Amino acid sequence: MLIRLGHSPDPDDAFMFWALDADAVDAHGFTFETVQEDIQTLNEWALEGRLDVTAISLATYPLVQDEYLLLPHGSSMGSGYGPVVVSQRPLSLDELREVEIVVPGRHTTAFLVLGMALEGPFSWRALPFDRILDEVASGRADAGLVIHEGQLTYAAEGLAKTLDLGEWWLLETGLPLPLGVNVVRRSLGGGLIEELSGVLRESIRCGLANRDEAMAYAMKFGRGIEVGLADRFVGMYVNDLTQELGGEGREAVAELLRRAEASGVYEAPVRVEFAP
């Protein structure tokens, strides 16, 4: 059975699916067609129901919950670290509320959590994630919300950290910050979903067990960053909670969406439902 699987063109996402590309796990009769797009595009595609399995921002899940189920693995979570707001000099939260912030998309979890940290609406402008650092460094923007490897490279661009959302969330809740999640189309049916979920979980486990091979594959998606930095980035977002959310991970997902729902972000009630 053909499964169209979407993930972002980043080392951490690619690392998780090396084993599928390398035929290193039993695919149980599934054939995978992988599609790489930036996370904002994948969010938009999920709204259209284009893919069978896809990475999306957790903030987008309530908008597609009728079409997709959350998978209990494949999530990107950081404990005490996460997307970073950068600027040419450190800004206070009050200053951030007064300036325009370039962001990687309004459906990203980073955008949602920044609104929580700033306690309300803020001035923003969307820009592809890989252009945000230059936009701030050039002075065309006062501040930028940085995701992906930019979380590690902003200082090399001469920029300062104003706010780390992972740090903020940990102090607020004591929980890791759930950013990206993997979802599966409900219409595949319970039996197929459970079998497919098992294959995808094994792919993540196999990558972690064969780190050198998986990293060599992941570097194809590194956008020119050096190996040590890519390895550090993968280590941040492919971890035990990626293999299996467990109690802490599920609590973090539920808490973030509970807070978002309580703040009026979503029109319909949020249902946090996981596949087997």
Side-chain angles (χ1 to χ4, degrees):
M1 180 179 183
L2 177 65
I3 298 294
R4 297 193 71 218
L5 184 154
H7 68 80
S8 61
D10 303 296
D12 56 329
D13 273 21
F15 183 96
M16 290 190 281
F17 300 116
W18 158 77
L20 298 181
D21 187 72
D23 294 324
V25 294
D26 182 355
H28 288 252
F30 294 109
T31 301
F32 294 92
E33 176 191 340
T34 57
V35 180
Q36 292 85 33
E37 291 288 348
D38 68 275
I39 193 64
Q40 180 62 20
T41 298
L42 292 176
N43 288 337
E44 292 168 1
W45 283 11
L47 294 172
E48 301 170 8
R50 287 199 192 186
L51 301 173
D52 301 305
V53 175
T54 184
I56 62 171
S57 300
L58 177 58
T60 297
Y61 179 69
L63 305 177
V64 300
Q65 63 187 8
D66 292 336
E67 181 78 19
Y68 291 99
L69 285 169
L70 290 160
L71 284 166
H73 45 72
S75 299
S76 298
M77 288 202 182
S79 185
Y81 54 85
V84 179
V85 179
V86 299
S87 46
Q88 292 191 356
R89 64 170 180 83
L91 303 175
S92 68
L93 289 183
D94 284 339
E95 287 176 305
L96 273 185
R97 295 184 183 104
E98 298 300 321
V99 301
E100 181 185 67
I101 305 171
V102 285
V103 302
R106 67 182 304 269
H107 292 308
T108 61
T109 311
F111 181 90
L112 174 66
V113 178
L114 179 56
M116 293 179 181
L118 296 181
E119 300 180 324
F122 59 94
S123 177
W124 59 274
R125 171 166 52 95
L127 202 64
F129 74 90
D130 55 355
R131 291 173 50 193
I132 289 176
L133 288 179
D134 182 63
E135 194 77 358
V136 180
S138 69
R140 292 189 297 270
D142 295 307
L145 178 57
V146 178
I147 60 174
H148 300 319
E149 69 274 9
Q151 297 168 56
L152 302 178
T153 63
Y154 65 86
E157 302 292 330
L159 299 176
K161 178 173 72 174
T162 283
L163 174 65
D164 185 315
L165 294 178
E167 292 177 356
W168 176 84
W169 178 257
L170 183 65
L171 290 172
E172 279 285 305
T173 68
L175 294 167
L177 175 59
L179 297 164
V181 292
N182 282 354
V183 296
V184 59
R185 191 191 303 280
R186 289 176 181 269
S187 61
L188 291 175
L192 273 179
I193 288 174
E194 185 170 5
E195 189 171 11
L196 176 58
S197 178
V199 173
L200 298 174
R201 179 184 287 108
E202 180 61 15
S203 176
I204 298 166
R205 188 208 63 77
C206 188
L208 288 168
N210 298 274
R211 188 175 186 86
D212 290 345
E213 294 94 328
M215 274 304 306
Y217 176 79
M219 284 304 299
K220 298 176 185 178
F221 302 85
R223 289 186 289 272
I225 63 175
E226 55 97 7
V227 174
L229 195 64
D231 188 71
R232 180 183 169 195
F233 182 66
V234 169
M236 290 168 64
Y237 290 111
V238 185
N239 49 39
D240 289 343
L241 291 172
T242 309
Q243 287 193 84
E244 175 56 55
L245 282 172
E248 182 183 39
R250 291 177 187 238
E251 182 183 356
V253 167
E255 179 62 15
L256 191 148
L257 293 181
R258 183 194 68 77
R259 290 183 178 223
E261 182 178 21
S263 69
V265 170
Y266 303 112
E267 294 181 2
V270 177
R271 306 191 313 274
V272 178
E273 296 182 67
F274 288 94

